[in-house]
Amino acid sequence: MLEQRTVVTHCPYCALQCGTQLSQDNGAVRVRPTDFPVNRGGLCQKGWTAPALLDTPDRLRTPLIGGKPADWDTALDTVANELRRIRNEHGPDAVGVFGGGGLTNEKAYLLGKFARLALGTSRIDYNGRFCMSSAAAASTAAFGLDRGLPFPVTDLGDADVVLLAGSNVAETMPPIMRHLDGARLIVIDPRHSRTAERATLHLRPVPGTDLAVALGLLHLVVTGGWCDEAYIRTRTTGFEDARRRAIAWWPERVEQVTGVSAAALRDAARLLGQARSAYVLTGRGAEQHSNGTDTVSAFINLALALGLPGRMGSGYGCLTGQGNGQGGREHGQKADQLPGYRMITDPLARQHIAQVWGVPPETLPGAGLSAYELLDSLGTARGPKGLLVFGSNPAVSAPHAGHVIDRLSALDMLVVADFVPSETARMADVVLPVTQWAEEEGTLTNLEGRVLRRKRLRPPPDGVRTDLEILHGLAVRLGEPETRYPTSPRAVFDELRRASAGGKADYSGISYARLDAGEALHWPCPDTGEPHPGTPRLFLDTFAHPDGRARFVDVEHHDAAEAVGPDFPLYATTGRVLAHYQSGAQTRRIRELAEAEPEPFVEVHPDTADLAGLREGDLAEVRSARGRMTARVRLTGTLRLDTVFLPFHFPGDGSANRVTNAALDPTSRMPEFKVCAVRIGPAEAGHD
């Protein structure tokens, strides 16, 4: 009989990291919410059902080689031998690593170290590149620092007005709505989403035109006299260039480009300009574009003109998506970064990390390829011949997914570490079964920059290992010292603290002991000798640029990478729904969630559907220049006539990413998930 046990931990899904209490009684795991600040005793449907995944019938419990069970030594020997062969024949960059924004800080840190030391490769990136990289680039340019929310979520509860640009939080992170109940919401979204239903004002732009909306709002703030002149003068630089750019975007011009009426735009500017306390928040809808960085910069410009960032009760923030989307990009699994949010091209950063790792700085590889560029290069003359995937399912989550599947198939060796047979794992030559969230220790960093403890409720099943144990086993087989790759999360975190010391994301003053004692610690939290209280609110006194000022960035609207036309007359946009998460590999295995949303669907305006010969419940084909997918028709009278919506949680013929465009933002390398040109019609026979 299993012991009774209870732990206080956090939900395994989104970046809110809602507080939960897990209990186990005779094998059954139950969850209930705690009064943690971000969720205040609430959970969404996914959080309530999370324990069901722990014992899913197809849980991976033994290594697989070529689809057949193998023991761990054989599996690790096979992987190490093949990695060694590929490196010897083609060089270290012939091996790639693809990580995930759901990995703990410890896993992300050790994965980056393993790639750069044990493999010697620059070819490492992660699926967080598909989530918040545009906001990260824009925030760094404006503020000198990127943290999703530079203030606690609870601050939103006192806001008069909150602008949500491209974020459907009522479905993607429902508990946050408890903090928005008192605010007037301005929602910018082509869909009349569940969040838009709660809005005071809903702006529905043509997909791909959010930047023009932001320029129009700045125009009205400037001409309406709502700029905070003293703030602009004392705390910012670059306003004149941004102002001149915005002056050309009068409301009627914005209406012509975006479809948002001049009257609605004026109402939105008035709400923001007259608010006592206001926030501008961006989500994936603003960021997942080939101009996503510029779009977020335009919304930051709007916030700066209003004097919001770095002021109590107001601000700008990015609503980070994945569970460890913040920490996952801080500690080394991103192609251009080293731990502590250090840039890999910075000689001082390289020297510091090399000293912590005990290697010469010149042995560290340089910057590698971004996520899609890495996937696109697989199996080619210039790209990796072998790939290790940890915590990601790119066969479903990557844009132009059919092409990515082809590239994965072209590898000499694909190795996937996962706890369920995801679509990517099913393609793998070697599958390594790993622990789940309730079976492991570690830390994650939520969207507020608050470092949280993940605590183990129960041991993993026999035959399952932690990601840290796998990295250790492979590194030793590749000739690395055993002590360089600890398997204890606490030991890894202690090293991470040293590696991050002095960096932008400084964790050196944070410890397991302090977190376990219940301290609320937001980075930066340096080791100053005395216990540092952490920094829940950034920029109150100064921004992170050397002169202490925030930067306006001069940006201009340009069209999406792909225009609609006679062959593909409709815009397709993608997103999440309440019941599912990311590629759906986890949530599609939970009965209650699968029953809530059992199959792919396409939202279509009734008039658009009628022109295409479609009715409610029909199976439709959605086709772009890259591929096709099939989905059940849902007629939605509030949708734009020129737009269809596709959830991206489903695989195979129902994969929305078979049609999405891989056009990349030139700065963030974010793919353009949120807009592509498509046509729809009845599905061919045999696709039902």
Side-chain angles (χ1 to χ4, degrees), residues 562-572 612 621-628 642 644 659 676-681:
E562 186 171 71
V564 296
D567 292 335
F568 301 105
L570 299 173
Y571 298 101
E621 177 184 270
V622 182
R623 184 179 289 273
S624 75
R626 287 156 297 282
R628 53 161 293 281
D642 59 3
V644 299
V659 303
C676 66
V678 301
R679 66 174 181 264
I680 62 170

Side-chain angles (χ1 to χ4, degrees), residues 89-108:
E89 293 181 8
H90 304 285
D93 278 352
V95 176
V97 176
F98 199 86
L103 300 178
T104 63
N105 290 319
E106 292 81 359
K107 294 177 187 179

Side-chain angles (χ1 to χ4, degrees), residues 608-629:
T608 306
D610 188 57
L611 287 172
L614 295 167
R615 296 172 298 175
E616 176 76 22
D618 284 354
L619 200 64
E621 177 184 270
V622 182
R623 184 179 289 273
S624 75
R626 287 156 297 282
R628 53 161 293 281
M629 58 87 67

